[in-house]
Amino acid sequence: MEVLHRDNLELGGFAGLREHRLVTDSRVFGRQKEPGTWDGIGNFVYLADARFMPRGETHMHPHREIDVISVMVEGRIAHEGSLEHGQEMRAGDVQVQRAGGDGFAHNEVNPDEVENRMIQIWVLPETAGEPASYRLYSLKPGAMRRIYGGPKDQTETHDSHTLIDVGLLEAGQEISVDGPFQIYLTAGSGTVDEVEVHDGDMARGDGLSFRASEDTQLIVVHLA
């Protein structure tokens, strides 16, 4: 089991945000893969931990043949774009946009005078040419929620063999996953295979056993 510490990585960013990139997969970034960052697993290829400056925004930009997942950790976001323009996200919400063959354009805006925090994840779709689509999920305290992946014969999530679960666990709660995993903590702390991890730590290995030491928000990527 390995641990990657966000604060050991270079702080970058663009437009109105500053971010640490923890996953920049070689399949997408090639020679531009950032030093110290990890590859993903399955079709998971990118993870950035971003803070938007007061009134900061990404500016409108397009995506095609990529699934873009936004996990709100602190504050709120005003979503603009070709999918669900005008939607608002608050802490505990997760937005999933499938660009597919149609593609989409979006701008994520911090409408407030204080910084916010959002995790952005990219996953490559398994089938090219899918229609663009949008889903929004709200997390519940004390539970994990599947926000991405699953078979084609269900409509709760965008289908994929790459599974992403996001949760708000309470102190003492435990979760486990068989097979390869990557986990990222965005609040709180806990133990992964008896190794202590905190907000801003990413861990990877084969067979996850996690126990929350306090109230914790976390993202788990694994395979079906």
Side-chain angles (χ1 to χ4, degrees):
M1 199 273 291
E2 300 175 90
V3 178
L4 178 64
H5 304 289
R6 175 196 62 205
D7 294 340
N8 289 345
L9 299 172
E10 182 178 351
L11 179 65
F14 63 95
L17 60 89
R18 298 292 175 263
E19 64 183 6
H20 290 92
R21 296 179 175 182
L22 291 94
V23 173
T24 57
D25 197 285
S26 302
R27 292 169 290 175
V28 173
F29 291 87
R31 293 182 179 179
Q32 295 181 328
K33 178 179 176 62
E34 297 186 13
T37 64
W38 284 354
D39 286 340
I41 59 172
N43 280 19
F44 164 51
V45 294
Y46 178 79
L47 185 145
D49 189 332
R51 289 190 176 274
F52 286 65
M53 293 181 288
R55 300 289 181 179
E57 59 184 280
T58 64
H59 298 302
M60 193 69 70
H61 60 282
H63 293 280
R64 188 176 298 275
E65 296 295 6
I66 196 79
D67 295 338
V68 179
I69 299 162
S70 305
V71 181
M72 285 305 303
V73 179
E74 301 171 11
R76 60 183 181 139
I77 279 287
H79 168 73
E80 300 176 350
S82 53
L83 298 176
E84 298 296 327
H85 181 85
Q87 178 69 59
E88 181 180 270
M89 286 194 300
R90 295 178 176 269
D93 289 340
V94 181
Q95 172 182 267
V96 183
Q97 300 178 85
R98 167 158 285 179
D102 296 337
F104 69 84
H106 72 138
N107 179 26
E108 309 299 345
V109 181
N110 178 5
D112 299 317
E113 297 292 347
V114 296
E115 285 189 347
N116 66 8
R117 184 180 174 197
M118 185 183 81
I119 313 301
Q120 184 158 110
I121 296 167
W122 295 352
V123 187
L124 299 174
E126 294 180 346
T127 304
E130 296 275 35
S133 57
Y134 180 101
R135 287 180 171 84
L136 184 69
Y137 305 91
S138 293
L139 305 180
K140 295 182 179 180
M144 300 292 296
R145 178 156 191 178
R146 173 71 43 80
I147 58 90
Y148 185 89
K152 287 184 175 292
D153 62 355
Q154 52 83 42
T155 58
E156 179 63 21
T157 57
H158 291 89
D159 63 280
S160 177
H161 288 88
T162 302
L163 308 177
I164 302 180
D165 303 324
V166 183
L168 300 171
L169 298 186
E170 298 171 347
Q173 283 190 285
E174 300 180 4
I175 61 169
S176 61
V177 168
D178 294 330
F181 72 87
Q182 291 185 342
I183 181 174
Y184 186 56
L185 268 65
T186 55
S189 62
T191 54
V192 176
D193 298 336
E194 305 304 321
V195 176
E196 190 170 323
V197 289
H198 302 269
D199 177 8
D201 287 341
M202 174 171 270
R204 66 182 176 187
D206 192 354
L208 170 66
S209 176
F210 176 83
R211 185 179 189 277
S213 302
E214 58 185 316
D215 291 352
T216 299
Q217 183 174 4
L218 69 166
I219 300 166
V220 181
V221 184
H222 54 116
L223 304 178

